[in-house]
Amino acid sequence: MSEQKPATLRIGVDVGGTKIEAALIDELGRVLRTERIPARHGEEAVIDDIVAVAGQVCDGDFNRVASVGIGTPGQVDYVSGHVDNIVNLGVTSLDMGPLVEQRTGVPAHVENDVNAAALGAAVVLGGGTSLPGVVAFLNFGTGLAAGLVQDGVLMHGASGAAGEVGHIPVEPHRFKCPCGQYGCLETVCSGASVARLWPSANPAMPDLIRRAKKREAKAVDVLDMVVRAIGDTIQIVAQSMDPSVIILGGGMAKTGDPLVEVITAELRRRESQCRFLASLDLPSRLRLAPLNQPVGAIGAAVAA
């Protein structure tokens, strides 16, 4: 009787507010198959959907799978796999990791969705293995947060709050933040805040940049506010962690090169006034997150 070969495939699942996506990854980090399904509300539905989409990518044969990794919004305890407050999916408290493990029979690991995307982007940009050194992933989505990776390992910090730069209260307009503070960077340069500051288009950022280039006064003022806050965010991450690569991700990063151009112009403006900043050459470290790869699911798989 021949020995059963050890399972080498990994599954990563990216839980979003509107969709849940899974990717099947081989031992070389290659994506073999992806599937996505609409997200549903409620604790039971979320677990059902994670298990269902994971089953789709492995044709229901979890014996071939070594681990299931999950990237999710909410407050994640990456050690226990417990998740609180996935607001967009109506989840208050959920033992996500243990329940998925129970249903699939495969070890499951849960990460914050930004952390998962950070690791996934570092792996994709590294050609299958994570970029070396410290990599920062700035997620300009509904909120603003950073994922930090060092030599392929996620950095969580003592309480799991590493990278929560969006709630540093240094923005001078002092807008009220849902977290209770005033002046959080997230109140100006997250995707949701840009949509609030520039409600005339959806998505807001491409239109804002386009109108500012036409020298429309209101657009110039709003873009200046947003880009200064992005510059502050980049400086905080760069000067505290000194990453070799700073990846721009989240919905706002889909703006593409025009976003990189306005950020680069802001960083160059700052460099012109400060030799120290000029020596860091931050614009050379900027990269856009890959748009053609499921980086959240890939990162979740690699982290598991």
Side-chain angles (χ1 to χ4, degrees):
M1 185 175 175
S2 61
E3 257 185 56
Q4 186 176 359
K5 292 181 180 179
T8 57
L9 301 179
R10 292 174 288 176
I11 293 175
V13 181
D14 181 22
V15 178
T18 59
K19 65 175 175 60
I20 298 179
E21 183 170 32
L24 183 68
I25 312 293
D26 69 10
E27 62 272 21
L28 299 178
R30 296 174 299 196
V31 177
L32 303 180
R33 181 175 173 183
T34 62
E35 296 287 347
R36 65 170 59 180
I37 60 175
R40 297 180 297 157
H41 284 229
E43 281 91 354
E44 187 175 343
V46 168
I47 297 299
D48 285 346
D49 291 344
I50 291 171
V51 173
V53 75
Q56 287 179 12
V57 294
C58 68
D59 292 322
D61 184 6
F62 285 104
N63 290 323
R64 300 189 296 145
V65 178
S67 60
V68 175
I70 306 158
T72 178
Q75 297 167 280
V76 177
D77 183 332
Y78 71 96
V79 176
S80 69
H82 184 84
V83 183
D84 291 318
N85 303 319
I86 310 177
V87 178
N88 289 341
L89 295 180
V91 172
T92 303
S93 179
L94 183 60
D95 282 328
M96 182 178 286
L99 288 171
V100 171
E101 189 166 323
Q102 183 181 47
R103 294 275 299 275
T104 62
V106 176
H109 177 79
V110 185
E111 284 287 349
N112 168 271
D113 57 346
V114 175
N115 284 343
L119 184 55
V123 167
V124 172
L125 291 176
T129 58
S130 180
L131 292 167
V134 176
V135 176
F137 178 91
L138 295 180
N139 189 71
F140 297 98
T142 303
L144 167 63
L148 303 169
V149 181
Q150 183 166 22
D151 295 321
V153 179
L154 283 167
M155 303 170 67
H156 296 96
S159 63
E164 288 290 353
V165 291
H167 295 296
I168 298 176
V170 295
E171 209 290 314
H173 293 85
R174 313 304 293 172
F175 296 127
K176 179 73 180 290
C177 181
C179 81
Q181 299 185 99
Y182 291 84
C184 290
L185 287 168
E186 182 174 296
T187 63
V188 168
C189 66
S190 66
S193 64
V194 174
R196 174 180 54 81
L197 293 166
W198 192 255
S200 58
N202 183 23
M205 198 66 188
D207 183 67
L208 176 60
I209 294 173
R210 190 163 49 247
R211 303 270 286 271
K213 284 183 176 178
K214 293 180 179 178
R215 308 306 301 168
E216 295 183 24
K218 177 64 174 175
V220 170
D221 288 346
V222 172
L223 184 62
D224 182 66
M225 183 192 312
V226 171
V227 174
R228 282 177 185 269
I230 293 174
D232 288 344
T233 303
I234 290 172
Q235 267 196 248
I236 287 167
V237 170
Q239 291 173 229
S240 57
M241 300 303 302
D242 198 21
S244 56
V245 176
I246 301 170
I247 304 171
L248 308 176
M252 207 158 74
K254 294 177 181 177
T255 304
D257 289 337
L259 178 65
V260 177
E261 289 168 9
V262 295
I263 294 173
T264 296
E266 171 64 15
L267 295 176
R268 294 297 186 205
R269 181 190 67 78
R270 297 181 184 211
E271 288 179 355
S272 69
Q273 302 166 356
C274 176
R275 288 184 180 179
F276 167 67
L277 279 180
S279 73
L280 299 181
D281 192 16
L282 297 181
S284 71
R285 309 187 195 192
L286 299 180
R287 303 285 189 278
L288 285 168
L291 295 178
N292 59 344
Q293 293 281 349
V295 293
I298 292 171
V302 172

